[in-house]
């Protein structure tokens, strides 16, 4: 069971230090945090593995605004998200670029959480499986690869997928690629346990509720309870 906190574009270095002054990951579950690039070195060495939110596919080069895997490894970063829907929606990230990022990061020795998920319109059109199939078709299973299923309509909206819907999507993802699958989208302390109890849900990628110590610790504790079942 893995709980990953995606801090998105939140938390300065000072706020990161304040978080770790209070946060103690509960035993019985794996926890990682994904701070913005500028807060990574304030997060490394605080007892919780640190992942980046994105990583470039080249080792170095003229790619303004990008960061390479080697640069992250030098800071003590252990993994990276790729293909988050906010990258796809706001920054034109394509399936091809996501594949390049994932492969380069894995080759460099980082763990990778590759994010997939359908928009509300795609679900209403009945295209969920086609979208997931296309997004996953560019990824190959790897021992350090995890997929995060994050339905776009559930991100930051308070509209969580029902446990049944999450289970159904995770089963479909696992029929296409044999890797652990995290659920993401409005995971909160009061819904985490029922989602994490689904047999094909291997953990959660948590946005808003990972920013405060209390709710994030409560989600990690829910994962530890489920892992014991
Ligand atoms: P929320 O938990 O804020 O809905 O965000 C989910 C997410 O995008 C995690 O990557």
């Amino acid at each position: 069971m893995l709980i990953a906190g995606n801090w998105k574009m939140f938390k300065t270095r000072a706020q990161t230090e304040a978080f770790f002054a209070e946060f103690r990951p509960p035993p019985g579950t794996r926890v990682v945090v994904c701070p913005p690039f500028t807060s990574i070195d304030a997060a490394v060495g605080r007892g919780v593995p640190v992942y980046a939110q994105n990583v470039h596919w080249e080792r170095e080069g003229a790619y303004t605004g990008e960061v390479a895997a080697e640069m992250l490894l030098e800071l003590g970063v252990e993994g990276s998200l790729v293909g988050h829907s906010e990258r796809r929606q706001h920054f034109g990230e394509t399936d091809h670029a996501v594949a390049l990022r994932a492969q380069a990061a894995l080759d460099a020795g980082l763990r990778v959480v590759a994010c997939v998920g359908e928009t509300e319109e795609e679900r209403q059109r009945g295209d969920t499986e086609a979208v997931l199939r296309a997004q996953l078709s560019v990824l190959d299973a790897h021992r350090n690869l995890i997929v995060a299923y994050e339905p776009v309509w559930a991100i930051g909206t308070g509209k969580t997928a029902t446990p049944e819907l999450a289970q159904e999507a995770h089963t479909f993802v696992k029929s296409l690629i044999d890797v652990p699958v995290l659920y993401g989208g409005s995971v909160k302390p009061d819904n985490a346990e029922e989602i994490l109890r689904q047999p094909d849900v291997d953990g959660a990628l948590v946005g808003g509720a990972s920013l405060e110590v209390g709710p994030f610790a409560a989600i990690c504790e829910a994962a530890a309870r489920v892992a014991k079942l």
Side-chain angles (χ1 to χ4, degrees):
M1 199 57 75
L2 174 69
I3 303 298
N6 175 11
W7 288 356
K8 309 192 178 184
M9 199 172 73
F10 292 98
K11 287 202 193 293
T12 61
R13 289 176 56 92
Q15 290 166 331
T16 300
E17 281 162 15
F19 180 92
F20 282 109
E22 232 192 296
F23 180 68
R24 296 288 170 273
T29 193
R30 285 170 63 208
V31 181
V32 310
V33 293
C34 313
F37 288 127
T38 49
S39 294
I40 281 176
D41 78 330
V44 168
R46 308 299 299 257
V48 177
V50 174
Y51 285 19
Q53 296 175 14
N54 202 7
V55 55
H56 197 260
W57 54 88
E58 292 290 350
R59 295 190 69 238
E60 59 183 6
Y63 297 101
T64 302
E66 292 283 335
V67 173
E70 297 289 335
M71 297 167 180
L72 297 170
L73 286 161
E74 187 184 36
L75 292 180
V77 169
E78 295 183 27
S80 184
L81 307 180
V82 298
H84 192 279
S85 65
E86 288 151 13
R87 300 291 323 163
R88 297 176 190 263
Q89 276 184 302
H90 305 306
F91 302 99
E93 193 83 78
T94 62
D95 291 340
H96 177 64
V98 173
L100 292 175
R101 291 180 191 279
Q103 197 54 54
L106 291 166
D107 290 346
L110 289 169
R111 297 176 186 276
V112 168
V113 178
C115 307
V116 299
E118 80 288 359
T119 63
E120 179 129 53
E121 302 83 81
E122 287 164 346
R123 176 160 284 270
Q124 278 168 2
R125 282 205 307 266
D127 287 348
T128 298
E129 292 196 347
V131 168
L132 294 177
R133 188 178 279 113
Q135 291 174 338
L136 291 165
S137 68
V138 296
L139 298 172
D140 293 318
H142 186 287
R143 70 191 152 81
N144 285 336
L145 177 67
I146 289 177
V147 165
Y149 169 63
E150 297 205 304
V152 178
W153 46 269
I155 294 178
T157 57
K159 280 200 227 170
T160 325
T162 60
E164 295 72 30
L165 191 147
Q167 167 61 19
E168 190 187 353
H170 282 223
T171 306
F172 181 69
V173 169
K174 288 187 179 196
S175 75
L176 300 175
I177 186 166
D178 184 19
V179 297
V181 183
L182 311 182
Y183 171 79
S186 299
V187 175
K188 306 289 178 201
D190 61 359
N191 62 23
E193 186 162 338
E194 58 173 358
I195 293 173
L196 293 169
R197 274 176 187 272
Q198 300 303 309
D200 288 323
V201 174
D202 302 307
L205 182 54
V206 184
S210 71
L211 294 172
E212 301 290 337
V213 169
F216 191 51
I219 293 170
C220 296
E221 279 157 18
R225 279 197 300 279
V226 173
K228 271 208 219 124
L229 294 177

